[in-house]
């Protein structure tokens, strides 16, 4: 059978990762079994105010993903489609947790495709265990002294505790 470009594919998993959670890591782990390489792109959502700096969000993602051989963490503050185009990558991975994620994801997938027709968005269902968590929820729980060790790696939990101790 003729080999297609898609036979050896890299994919980008973009997000704010403010901070990275086990929900994100579950999507990354499963994608890394399908694609040859996953680039976790720590980027900006202009609609958000972040709790951690760009550098901190990237460092936490790097540390949490250091054991994955085919996963690289890259920080990038431009348009997602420009990154894809500049690096000849066609696939974007996104996780869907609940029905309400769908509308926003559909809008982003269409907008990205309108800007760069070569790309495709692949959706994975977030594992049931993490389908109700978000970075904001984890931050809120830590702020009130709750335990988030089942939802974020140990070092991320420590960074969160440090953040809310200061404030
Ligand atoms: N498990 C648990 N939580 C998850 C999750 C999963 N699998 N997937 C997403 N989430 C949570 C995130 O923690 C985040 O929580 P928060 O809102 O409390 O911070 C929320 O779901 C949204 O996810 P995120 O991946 O951060 O997406 P986003 O909607 O903030 O950002 C970007 C989307 C960053 C990818 C988008 O803004 C982007 O591409 N920016 C680059 C600039 C650009 O090209 N803009 C045009 C886009 S059309």
């Amino acid at each position: 059978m003729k080999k297609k470009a898609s036979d050896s594919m890299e994919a980008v998993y973009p997000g704010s990762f403010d901070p990275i959670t086990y929900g994100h890591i579950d999507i990354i782990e499963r994608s890394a079994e399908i694609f040859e390489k996953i680039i976790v792109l720590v980027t900006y959502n202009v609609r958000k105010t972040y709790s951690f700096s760009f550098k901190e969000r990237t460092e936490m993602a790097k540390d949490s993903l250091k054991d994955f051989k085919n996963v690289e963490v890259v920080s990038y503050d431009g348009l997602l489609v420009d990154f894809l185009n500049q690096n000849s990558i066609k696939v974007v991975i996104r996780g869907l947790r609940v029905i309400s994620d769908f509308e926003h994801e559909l809008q982003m997938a269409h907008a990205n495709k309108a800007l760069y027709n070569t790309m495709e968005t692949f959706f994975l269902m977030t594992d049931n265990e993490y389908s109700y968590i978000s970075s904001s929820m984890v931050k809120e729980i830590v702020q009130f002294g709750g335990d988030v060790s089942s939802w974020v790696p140990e070092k991320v939990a420590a960074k969160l505790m440090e953040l809310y101790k200061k404030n």
Side-chain angles (χ1 to χ4, degrees), residues 13-27 41-48 50 76-82 94-97 101 104-105 107-109 111-112 115 124-127 130-139:
Y13 180 54
S16 296
F17 306 110
D18 186 40
I20 191 163
T21 67
Y22 283 138
H24 298 122
I25 296 171
D26 165 64
I27 296 285
L41 202 68
V42 180
T43 185
Y44 275 106
N45 180 341
V46 290
R47 284 175 263 198
K48 281 186 175 170
Y50 289 110
Y76 178 75
D77 62 359
L79 262 187
L80 174 61
V81 289
D82 287 343
R94 296 289 291 166
L96 289 174
R97 291 166 300 168
D101 277 348
H104 171 62
E105 291 298 335
Q107 203 181 13
M108 278 205 302
N112 283 329
L115 291 167
L124 265 76
M125 301 304 147
T126 299
D127 193 283
Y130 308 116
S131 62
Y132 57 91
I133 66 163
S134 68
S135 303
S136 308
M137 185 190 273
V138 165
K139 284 185 278 194

Side-chain angles (χ1 to χ4, degrees), residues 55-103:
K55 193 166 167 245
E56 287 172 313
R57 289 188 279 130
T58 307
E59 278 169 1
M60 282 187 279
K62 276 192 177 159
D63 187 71
S64 307
L65 298 166
K66 60 181 185 309
D67 294 334
F68 291 95
K69 300 248 172 324
N70 60 338
V71 173
E72 185 185 354
V73 177
V74 174
S75 45
Y76 178 75
D77 62 359
L79 262 187
L80 174 61
V81 289
D82 287 343
F83 182 86
L84 299 176
N85 195 356
Q86 282 153 20
N87 294 282
S88 306
I89 299 173
K90 288 182 179 176
V91 177
V92 168
I93 309 276
R94 296 289 291 166
L96 289 174
R97 291 166 300 168
V98 285
I99 296 280
S100 53
D101 277 348
F102 183 74
E103 204 174 333

